[in-house]
Amino acid sequence: QFGYMFWLLRKFQVELDEAKTKQAGETLDITDSVDDLGALAEWAMLKPIGKVMELASVPIELRSGKDVDRLWDRTLTQCLVAAARNIPDGILQMELQSWFLCLVFPGIDWTVKAQLVFNIVLAGVGVLADSVDLLLANRRVTVGTALILLGMMLFGVSRTIMAFYCPSTVESVGWKLFHCVPNGMLSHGNWTSGTLPG
């Protein structure tokens, strides 16, 4: 997230430096950066301002190729914002929570298991909602981004399911989904006593 936002900040600085060199009466050519300003506002937890900026980036009429480029840039920005928000905040959170569930599964009672599953579901809700929005946009780049997000989310989902299904409570590492680690290969820790697995 920070990398994308620093890139946007650098882009704005370049735009402002170019605007300072313009003469009176010349266009500032900043309309192609309005959607980026909305993305930066959303990152700064100013979602209403971000939404206003995103809507302001849509041209009223398509008079030239620049207007079409603005629409395309807005679509790309939506995809980048969804990826920058959901990969660290949703998908990686699901991965961490599902691994934790697998490793401590035998040593916790059903209330803690329910809490961990609830945490995994909450981490995935935002990813799912943004993926549906991107799918409904029905453009190749938005559908591709949504499918990548959903594919990345699948690892956390499958690991959570396999914690309940596998005798060892741990799914195989790597690209093999829905395969169990042989029972007895890992020693589980007792989460309640503070003993770590390993």
Side-chain angles (χ1 to χ4, degrees), residues 19-153:
K20 289 175 184 175
T21 63
K22 301 282 185 179
Q23 301 296 323
E26 285 185 300
T27 179
L28 295 178
D29 287 330
I30 60 167
T31 52
D32 59 338
S33 296
V34 173
D35 61 326
D36 297 326
L37 188 59
L40 194 60
E42 281 200 33
W43 172 79
M45 292 187 238
L46 301 170
K47 196 163 181 71
I49 295 171
K51 191 63 177 174
V52 169
M53 291 296 177
E54 182 196 339
L55 294 174
S57 69
V58 179
I60 297 172
E61 296 177 350
L62 296 176
R63 294 183 178 177
S64 65
K66 282 189 174 182
D67 295 331
V68 176
D69 289 342
R70 281 173 58 193
L71 281 177
W72 175 245
D73 189 44
R74 176 179 180 253
T75 303
L76 286 178
T77 302
Q78 285 176 328
C79 292
L80 289 172
V81 167
R85 177 175 53 236
N86 288 306
I87 290 174
D89 287 348
I91 293 168
L92 291 180
Q93 183 71 274
M94 286 182 70
E95 282 289 311
L96 288 172
Q97 294 278 354
S98 62
W99 268 115
F100 183 69
L101 175 66
C102 287
L103 294 175
V104 301
F105 193 88
I108 56 177
D109 64 8
W110 70 270
T111 57
V112 180
K113 289 174 187 172
Q115 179 186 356
L116 289 173
V117 170
F118 187 62
N119 289 343
I120 293 166
V121 169
L122 288 181
V125 165
V127 181
L128 196 58
D130 281 349
S131 298
V132 168
D133 287 344
L134 291 172
L135 286 171
L136 291 175
N138 200 23
R139 298 288 176 265
R140 287 180 187 156
V141 68
T142 59
V143 171
T145 305
L147 292 177
I148 289 170
L149 291 174
L150 291 172
M152 292 173 78
M153 196 172 119

